[in-house]
Amino acid sequence: MSTVFNFTFVPWFRSVAPYIHKFRNQTFVVGIPGEAIAAGKLPNLAQDLALIQSMGVRVVLVHGFRPQVNEQLAIKGQSAKYHHGVRITDSLALDCAQEAAGQLRYEIEAAFSQGLPNTPMAGATVRVISGNFITARPVGIIDGVDYQHSGLVRKVDVPGIMRTLDMGALVLLSPFGFSPTGEAFNLSMEEVATSVAIALKADKLLFLTEVPGIRMRPHEPASEDNPVDTELPLAQAVQILADSPRGLEPTDTAFYLQHCVKACKAGVERSHIIPFAVDGAMLLEVYVHDGIGTMVVDEKLEELREATADDVGGILQLIEPFEKDGTLVKRNRTEIERDIGHYTIVEHDGVIFACAALYPYPEAGTGEMAAVTVSPQVQGQGDGEKLLKRIEQRARIMGLDSIFVLTTRTMHWFLKRGFVQVDPDWLPEARKKKYNWDRKSMVLVKKL
């Protein structure tokens, strides 16, 4: 095994550990469209879901079958009929849907049953259990159009699904529901997944989609300066929906976003739009800081706040690599616990990604900004700026006239933000006594 691999794998594995801990015993509802299966993505999706489940996540998988039903209809000489983006399911279309669902269920169960040596599924035991967990009602007649056997979710059997999840199984749902009289209704994958996520009070609703996500400027073409917005506050998502045409096709901006907004409003903490074209998209979205698609949340997950005693471990984990390479002076746990009130942190989704401390010297009218650290995962995204502004704000509240830093490697970052270099003799007497002349740190000061 190469040394390069060791030095990339170990830090990466450590960086995903907080997410592994966070999501253990949480419930994810995953919606996979028939287009993803038709594109040959099922084997890799099954491997990724098996891996996610092996890390303690409870998974409900809802599959779609739009292209498969259309293919069955074409074989029988019929074309698909839609009105306002909803399939009109006549008797023939219902037969085709049942055939497609049976075939896809077989393929999905087979994908989760693979266990060849030297494959990601080796040693995996994934029990896939389906059932009549959805009670449905007919769409009925709207605008004079009879949707026939197309239906809507009336009720989700939450106790039944929860008991199945408690057994350690993966729950597989087809987009079908049944009335109390036993009549079958064709449902949409998106509605089933959303309804199930809301009913279960799921922690995440994830859609694997044909689109990469929602762009920063959703009504403009994709470009380098119009990337995917990885974190979309609910209020902004609602506004985008209001400004968008009705989502009739899976590639329309509003198509998946409307379901994410509905779930988020109903209490699902996070809803995701993830591109199935990217291999490992679910793993990248769930276990990497910025993810790969768009996450709709009720509020910004990133929080700039003062640290508490509960943050000591996260701060230690953040600064340890910088202490090892000499960027920061080493601090032990006792010292950080003692000084925790001096620290400000940037936390994202329960993980600390940046920190800084302010040590005041009121007799000299100044304060030291120390232990300034931004995780390599988020460098260049403005977290350092946020910390600096908060430290300046805290210093002004204390009545200080300036702040200073001691640095050996990041002087240019501070110089660009209004700091000027001074001689170490400028330091307050109490700080000058602790100055390490062998380290030869530059002293930079900023007037407030």
Side-chain angles (χ1 to χ4, degrees):
M1 191 175 293
S2 72
T3 303
V4 173
F5 177 83
N6 293 349
F7 278 98
T8 54
F9 172 77
V10 173
W12 170 84
F13 198 67
R14 287 172 176 162
S15 73
V16 303
Y19 298 105
I20 295 174
H21 298 314
K22 178 179 176 60
F23 297 135
R24 184 174 290 116
N25 297 321
Q26 290 194 357
T27 301
F28 291 4
V29 177
V30 180
I32 297 180
E35 287 81 356
I37 299 172
K41 304 297 182 181
L42 180 57
N44 286 345
L45 290 175
Q47 292 171 6
D48 292 348
L49 281 170
L51 181 57
I52 289 171
Q53 191 193 47
S54 74
M55 289 186 281
V57 176
R58 297 146 64 90
V59 178
V60 178
L61 175 60
V62 184
H63 75 82
F65 52 21
R66 190 179 297 108
Q68 289 81 4
V69 174
N70 292 346
E71 183 182 356
Q72 291 283 347
L73 283 168
I75 291 172
K76 296 176 181 178
Q78 299 292 323
S79 58
K81 300 172 187 174
Y82 293 90
H83 185 68
H84 292 320
V86 178
R87 185 189 295 276
I88 299 172
T89 309
D90 57 20
S91 297
L92 179 61
L94 183 64
D95 288 342
C96 292
Q98 291 170 340
E99 290 177 26
Q103 179 65 29
L104 287 176
R105 191 166 139 191
Y106 167 82
E107 291 179 16
I108 292 169
E109 290 178 358
F112 281 104
S113 299
Q114 298 176 47
L116 292 175
N118 302 318
T119 71
M121 295 290 285
T125 304
V126 182
R127 293 287 171 259
V128 178
I129 296 181
S130 312
N132 55 340
F133 296 114
I134 305 296
T135 302
R137 62 178 177 84
V139 172
I141 301 172
I142 301 176
D143 298 331
V145 176
D146 186 356
Y147 285 87
Q148 301 185 52
H149 298 285
S150 293
L152 299 169
V153 175
R154 179 188 296 238
K155 183 180 178 183
V156 177
D157 180 8
V158 174
I161 293 176
M162 294 302 291
R163 281 195 296 270
T164 307
L165 292 173
D166 289 342
M167 293 165 52
L170 181 148
V171 175
L172 174 62
L173 300 178
S174 297
F176 271 110
F178 302 91
S179 71
T181 59
E183 185 179 359
F185 290 101
N186 174 34
L187 312 174
S188 77
M189 175 276 287
E190 298 79 20
E191 199 223 347
V192 172
T194 303
S195 299
V196 170
I198 293 170
L200 294 179
K201 298 180 173 61
D203 300 281
K204 283 185 183 293
L205 169 63
L206 304 102
F207 287 116
L208 277 295
T209 73
E210 299 89 325
V211 295
I214 307 299
R215 298 278 170 185
M216 289 285 190
R217 296 186 299 281
H219 306 303
E220 297 180 19
S223 65
E224 286 188 8
D225 62 349
N226 188 24
V228 168
D229 193 344
T230 58
E231 187 180 311
L232 193 60
L234 177 59
Q236 187 178 340
V238 170
Q239 188 59 52
I240 291 173
L241 277 181
D243 297 338
S244 301
R246 185 172 178 180
L248 303 180
E249 298 292 331
T251 52
D252 293 342
T253 297
F255 188 84
Y256 288 104
L257 187 59
Q258 62 187 324
H259 298 286
C260 291
V261 166
K262 180 180 178 181
C264 198
K265 283 183 173 180
V268 177
E269 291 186 6
R270 299 162 181 84
S271 298
H272 303 253
I273 298 172
I274 312 168
F276 64 68
V278 177
D279 187 29
M282 273 189 295
L283 300 180
L284 291 168
E285 179 71 4
V286 173
Y287 295 108
V288 176
H289 170 61
D290 282 329
I292 191 173
T294 295
M295 175 171 62
V296 178
V297 292
D298 198 4
E299 60 183 12
K300 280 286 186 182
L301 294 179
E302 188 166 273
E303 183 181 8
L304 177 70
R305 62 175 174 82
E306 281 26 279
T308 69
D310 292 336
D311 300 314
V312 172
I315 292 172
L316 280 168
Q317 186 176 13
L318 173 67
I319 66 177
E320 182 185 18
F322 297 92
E323 292 176 338
K324 286 183 176 178
D325 69 11
T327 303
L328 293 178
V329 175
K330 187 167 180 60
R331 292 168 173 82
N332 59 42
R333 188 182 190 94
T334 302
E335 183 181 353
I336 293 177
E337 287 177 343
R338 182 195 67 206
D339 298 338
I340 195 65
H342 295 298
Y343 281 80
T344 297
I345 64 168
V346 175
E347 178 191 57
H348 188 288
D349 207 10
V351 180
I352 296 173
F353 282 95
C355 73
L358 175 63
Y359 290 91
Y361 293 88
E363 70 284 354
T366 190
E368 180 182 6
M369 184 177 178
V372 183
T373 312
V374 178
S375 169
Q377 297 179 58
V378 298
Q379 285 179 4
Q381 297 182 19
D383 285 342
E385 297 272 7
K386 294 175 188 174
L387 285 172
L388 176 58
K389 289 179 181 177
R390 178 60 69 89
I391 293 296
E392 290 177 0
Q393 181 185 43
R394 294 184 73 178
R396 289 190 184 98
I397 292 172
M398 294 177 184
L400 304 180
D401 301 319
S402 64
I403 57 173
F404 67 91
V405 296
L406 274 66
T407 180
T408 58
R409 303 189 187 182
T410 57
M411 62 287 294
H412 294 292
W413 189 91
F414 290 103
L415 290 170
K416 285 182 6 184
R417 285 154 181 83
F419 286 78
V420 295
Q421 185 176 0
V422 298
D423 190 270
D425 286 330
W426 178 92
L427 291 169
E429 286 300 322
R431 183 64 180 88
K432 198 185 302 182
K433 292 176 182 177
K434 296 187 287 184
Y435 181 79
N436 185 340
W437 294 94
D438 292 333
R439 186 172 168 83
K440 296 180 181 178
S441 298
M442 289 180 62
V443 181
L444 305 174
V445 180
K446 183 175 183 180
K447 294 289 184 181
L448 300 176

